[in-house]
Amino acid sequence: MSWLRSREANVDIDRPSADFVDQVPADTVLTRAARHVLDEMAAEIENEPVALILTDANGTVLHRYAGDRSLVSALDRVDLAPGFRYAESQVGTNGIGTALEVGAPLLIRGEEHYNGPLKKFSCAGALVTHPVTGAVLGVVDLTTLADNTNALLLSFAKLAATRIRERILDETNELDRALLHDYHIACRHSGRPVIAIGDEVLMMNTSTQQKFDSRDQAAIIDRTRDARGRTEAFTTLADLPSGITARLSYQPIFVADTLAGGIVRIKEQVERARALGRDRLPALQSVAGSSAQWKHTVRSIVDVCTRREWLVLDGEPGVGKTTLLRAAHVSVRGGHDVSVLDAAVLTGTELLDQVSNTLDAGSDLVVLHAHVLSDGDLTVLSELLHTVRLDSPSDEPWVALTTHVSQGVPDTHPLLRLFPKTISVPPLRHHLEDIPELVRHLLDRAGAADLTMSTAACNQLMRLSWRGNVAHLRSVLDEVGRHRRSGVIEPQDLPAECRATTRRTLTQLEALERDAVVDALALHDGDKAAAAKALGMSRATIYRKIREFGIVF
């Protein structure tokens, strides 16, 4: 079967064609646990003509231990070296890629290799799985020349995999104990709502459950997802569905140099009664969304514009900052001219010249992507705006800037002293309940009034993380609209990327792999066996891919 899969994948039989991966993670659960285990086991075979190899779950070689120089040279000639991916679909039958395909340890003897140059080797691969989640983390492989084949190779590989798994469990327990310890301290000392978040752990104290209803709790948990894996402390504000604003303070917890997780302390910034008594949301053209968090953002922007306070609007790309500013300006200052200048399009000199001309004309001003300006350009912009504020304090134009949430203008820059207010626009993943309304709005704007989205399709869209935010959603709807002009959009009509619900960011290769699996399943009406056959993979592999990518079918 492995040879059949290799043939269907068009594997070159004359030479291995392993891809080289530019960036291989250096510090992971697998590498931390394997480092000491493999160092010890490599010492036991130091004088033997055998190489001890560790790969990740994609078959990419992370480390190679070998004392025999001639063997190292031979492995280099077939690219069985750190950074190269030894997937079965690329190099054919081998102890690494085939073990991942069948999901079991195995020994591949010389002639059993599909690729000619690999027939001079024998290799034994054993999977390393996470002891808690069961996820495949990688492979331990022992490779030697075919003449030295020994059944003990597989036993040694399985022993190494077992020891790594045991060490992962020890580290997991140690990290969880550290996180739990600091969580209990935070709960006792603060007396306030506290959440602990780790790779596989999320804990919420009684105070959090008592102070926030289920919808607010879900929103807080969703915001804490952004903190997972962060190694620096930070504080952010979260607008919750109930209408209150909560201050979330994240503090990372370490065991030695390893991140165990983090503690999030929560404090209400706006009293509930006051929050619920706010005025109705002003209607803005070209803006859709009715969630509490979105309404709070819109209301804040309109309030600032009404008071003619200068404003910095920050947020991730694609969240709708420009749309919000244009709509708020039309609503509040509709009779006043506004010039919208993009610092990402104009050169620094061109931008500053146009800023000067706009201010001289007395028009309102919006500068997009101010974070891309150099320190020198920011200083000149600050001087221009400062002059306007001095010269016409009673009838000065309204000015707003947009910045990237993680690349904003430095807090200490004099320019920001001219702007009393910074408002953050939430990413789409923080107000997913607005997606049905956004879908209708975007379809109407695209001229697809006869096209509707089914409840099932909307629910599927609301399961996604939308790293590209509203701009990403618009591109998805544009793609759907190219294939149909009217009727009801069902889940099967969505692009492949929307049929998977994994929250992590995929590499380009993983995204292509996900799309291929989704397309094959669609072509074969969800028949996993037929889809696997068409893709040249085993049923076990396609089930693993479906779980790994969160594919819904």
Side-chain angles (χ1 to χ4, degrees), residues 59-346:
T60 304
V61 178
L62 304 175
H63 297 289
R64 185 182 67 186
Y65 304 77
D68 188 303
R69 290 188 177 181
S70 62
L71 177 60
V72 169
S73 298
L75 295 176
D76 285 344
R77 285 195 291 272
V78 295
D79 293 335
L80 185 47
F84 286 93
R85 185 169 180 250
Y86 248 64
E88 186 185 76
S89 60
Q90 292 183 304
V91 298
T93 306
N94 72 93
I96 295 168
T98 305
L100 288 168
E101 284 292 329
V102 302
L106 48 77
L107 171 64
I108 302 295
R109 302 176 188 274
E111 288 299 319
E112 293 174 344
H113 285 92
Y114 180 78
N115 187 275
L118 296 184
K119 293 181 184 293
K120 67 176 66 174
F121 302 100
S122 288
C123 50
L127 300 180
V128 180
T129 57
H130 195 287
V132 177
T133 66
V136 175
L137 301 179
V139 173
V140 174
D141 172 83
L142 267 81
T143 295
T144 187
L145 295 176
D147 293 341
N148 300 323
T149 302
N150 190 311
L152 290 177
L153 285 175
L154 185 56
S155 298
F156 198 88
K158 290 163 68 175
L159 175 62
T162 298
R163 288 185 181 177
I164 294 172
R165 189 173 183 274
E166 290 170 349
R167 195 168 185 91
I168 292 172
L169 183 60
D170 289 341
E171 181 186 87
T172 300
N173 290 338
E174 184 179 9
L175 296 177
D176 287 348
R177 282 195 298 269
L179 183 60
L180 183 61
H181 175 265
D182 283 41
Y183 168 69
H184 284 315
I185 291 176
C187 291
R188 287 199 303 269
H189 290 182
S190 71
R192 294 204 303 262
V194 174
I195 287 179
I197 184 168
D199 281 342
E200 304 295 336
V201 174
L202 191 145
M203 295 178 286
M204 177 189 302
N205 68 349
T206 303
S207 179
T208 306
Q209 299 174 47
Q210 291 175 342
K211 289 203 171 195
F212 301 103
D213 62 25
S214 59
R215 291 194 307 154
D216 281 358
Q217 290 175 29
I220 290 171
I221 290 172
D222 198 46
R223 291 301 296 269
T224 59
R225 285 199 187 100
D226 291 343
R228 183 175 278 123
R230 294 277 292 269
T231 57
E232 73 284 351
F234 69 90
T235 299
T236 186
L237 296 179
D239 296 315
L240 305 180
S242 64
I244 69 170
T245 300
R247 182 173 181 265
L248 310 181
S249 299
Y250 170 81
Q251 184 66 43
I253 307 300
F254 293 90
V255 175
D257 294 329
T258 302
L259 181 68
I263 303 298
V264 180
R265 294 172 174 84
I266 308 168
K267 182 179 180 180
E268 290 186 39
Q269 292 290 100
V270 179
E271 295 296 331
R272 188 179 300 267
R274 180 184 166 193
L276 294 176
R278 286 291 195 91
D279 296 332
R280 284 184 69 182
L281 177 71
L284 298 184
Q285 296 178 3
S286 305
V287 173
S290 56
S291 66
Q293 186 172 16
W294 185 251
K295 287 194 292 186
H296 176 80
T297 302
V298 172
R299 184 181 292 111
S300 298
I301 294 171
V302 170
D303 287 348
V304 169
C305 188
T306 301
R307 294 194 300 268
R308 296 178 61 188
E309 291 180 349
W310 290 8
L311 170 68
V312 175
L313 203 61
D314 80 350
E316 297 176 6
V319 294
K321 299 186 291 293
T322 305
T323 299
L324 282 168
L325 287 175
R326 288 183 182 276
H329 187 273
V330 169
S331 175
V332 177
R333 295 173 61 79
H336 206 88
D337 292 338
V338 61
S339 179
V340 181
L341 307 177
D342 192 343
V345 175
L346 301 170

Side-chain angles (χ1 to χ4, degrees), residues 463-481:
R463 296 187 183 102
L464 307 179
S465 58
W466 296 108
R467 293 298 173 185
N469 295 297
V470 179
H472 187 187
L473 176 61
R474 182 187 296 111
S475 70
V476 165
L477 296 176
D478 287 344
E479 182 176 347
V480 172

Side-chain angles (χ1 to χ4, degrees), residues 387-427:
T387 300
V388 169
R389 177 145 285 182
L390 290 175
D391 291 346
S392 55
S394 60
D395 192 32
E396 65 183 24
W398 182 66
V399 181
L401 310 178
T402 73
T403 63
H404 189 296
V405 67
S406 63
Q407 303 170 6
V409 178
D411 293 338
T412 56
H413 199 283
L415 174 65
L416 293 187
R417 297 174 192 163
L418 301 172
F419 293 82
K421 186 80 170 180
T422 296
I423 296 175
S424 295
V425 180

